[in-house]
Amino acid sequence: VLLSGTLLVPSDARFAPDGRRVVFLASETDPSVTELFAAPLDGSAAPVKLSGALVAGGDVQRDFEIGADGARVVYPADQGANERFELYSAPLDGTRGSVKLNPTPVAGNVIEFRVDPAGGRVAYRADHGRRGTFELYSAPSDGNQPAVKLNPTLERDRGIYPNLVELAALIVENLVLHGRLGPALPVLAALRQQLNVDDKEYPDRRE
């Protein structure tokens, strides 16, 4: 069964947890423009586009993630401004448009994210306030509330943080000092599950 219809260069297909849909990257007419689509696995309907309208030069990135409940997909893209990568979410059935999860940054990009095991929230790392200063944020996956910063102002510079798990270790330390550990626990539990994967993907680059 052909699932991609007339779309060009489909790639990076991933199954929804219930096995009823597949989410994938493809191009509508221009092979140089990558967008996000979903289609039923039985081929009973044409693919639907999940990502929003892209600015000139914009693309959806490959590291999109489907929530464990199968309701939504979270994806990074330079959708609103070319080369400014932000975080978006869309329902898998395509019945509603995508929503942006992060506030419009003063500078910088969202560079890494994880969806929590329940699918309700997303943790992400970004330099929203000052380019090169990466901090940890959390937002509801449906975008119905603003993102919140999980870490207070960091007490000291520990160098470069190549992944969320390493940054989370410093954030835990600071939250303990400020008596604010409780709100971060669900997100940190999700990050902990990525420990083995992240350690393989990113070498330790601390100076």
Side-chain angles (χ1 to χ4, degrees), residues 6-59:
T6 59
L7 297 173
L8 307 176
V9 290
S11 66
D12 297 273
R14 296 171 197 173
F15 296 112
D18 63 6
R20 298 171 59 185
R21 291 178 182 272
V22 62
V23 181
F24 59 97
L25 299 176
S27 304
E28 286 191 293
T29 56
D30 183 352
S32 68
V33 178
T34 303
E35 299 179 277
L36 191 65
F37 297 84
L41 275 174
D42 60 6
S44 59
V48 293
K49 184 164 69 172
L50 304 182
S51 51
L54 298 171
V55 297
D59 283 291

Side-chain angles (χ1 to χ4, degrees), residues 114-117 165 188-198:
R114 295 287 186 269
V115 180
D116 80 37
V165 175
L188 294 174
L191 297 180
R192 247 181 250 116
Q193 294 183 0
Q194 300 297 324
L195 179 60
N196 293 333
V197 174
D198 287 344

